Amino acid sequence: MEHVLSTVLNHAKAKVGSLMLMDESVSLLRIVAATGFPSDTLEAIKKFTLNPGQGVAGHVYLTGQPYYLRHPQEDALFVPPPIPFGPNFQFLSLPLKDANGQTVGVLNIHFPTDALMGAKELEGLAQLANLATSEFLARFGGPARLPC
């Protein structure tokens, strides 16, 4: 899943992000890949979980729709992970869908920038994330067999 994350981050021109998959054994979204976080907080990031419907990522998992926050701290859905963020960052959460259109996880992108993303950029990133996820799942035989 690291490849899916790095592919989307490269196209988004972002350096910080995480990928969450549903852990069916406990019914929680769990981070299975993360990049760009300080090394001293990476372990805390990888332990971060959300219930379906909780926070932005949980909302995106349930609805299957991307969610873009220009000012995350001002959005009631945003649940900050256990690391500090600077004052100027944006947040984008994309649903990850398999070839059948079923949401299997969420990709989160942190943008430390003031630049706005337009609808075309958001749609392109969502399509890229779904394509990369579908290819990955087909290669590894579905979410139950993910090497995470």
Side-chain angles (χ1 to χ4, degrees):
M1 294 307 294
E2 297 280 344
H3 177 70
V4 173
L5 179 60
S6 66
T7 298
V8 176
L9 288 178
N10 284 338
H11 282 278
K13 296 180 177 92
K15 293 184 167 110
V16 180
S18 63
L19 193 146
M20 303 179 90
L21 293 177
M22 176 54 68
D23 182 341
E24 297 292 341
S25 68
V26 291
S27 297
L28 292 171
L29 284 167
R30 183 176 308 284
I31 294 178
V32 297
T35 190
F37 296 97
S39 59
D40 60 334
T41 60
L42 199 52
E43 285 305 310
I45 288 295
K46 292 214 173 183
K47 292 178 184 175
F48 187 69
T49 60
L50 292 172
N51 291 304
Q54 179 185 13
V56 174
H59 175 79
V60 168
Y61 179 80
L62 284 183
T63 66
Q65 297 297 313
Y67 199 92
Y68 174 54
L69 294 110
R70 172 93 168 105
H71 302 286
Q73 300 89 337
E74 298 172 8
D75 193 297
L77 278 179
F78 185 71
V79 176
I83 62 165
F85 280 103
N88 295 324
F89 82 96
Q90 298 173 62
F91 185 81
L92 172 63
S93 190
L94 300 168
L96 298 174
K97 298 182 181 187
D98 63 15
N100 298 319
Q102 182 74 26
T103 303
V104 296
V106 178
L107 191 143
N108 302 302
I109 304 171
H110 305 260
F111 295 94
T113 179
D114 287 327
L116 288 171
M117 291 195 72
K120 286 185 180 183
E121 290 97 349
L122 293 174
E123 179 63 25
L125 289 174
Q127 288 176 352
L128 177 63
N130 287 329
L131 177 63
T133 300
S134 290
E135 288 177 2
F136 184 88
L137 293 176
R139 182 175 173 200
F140 286 99
R145 298 182 56 213
L146 290 175
C148 311

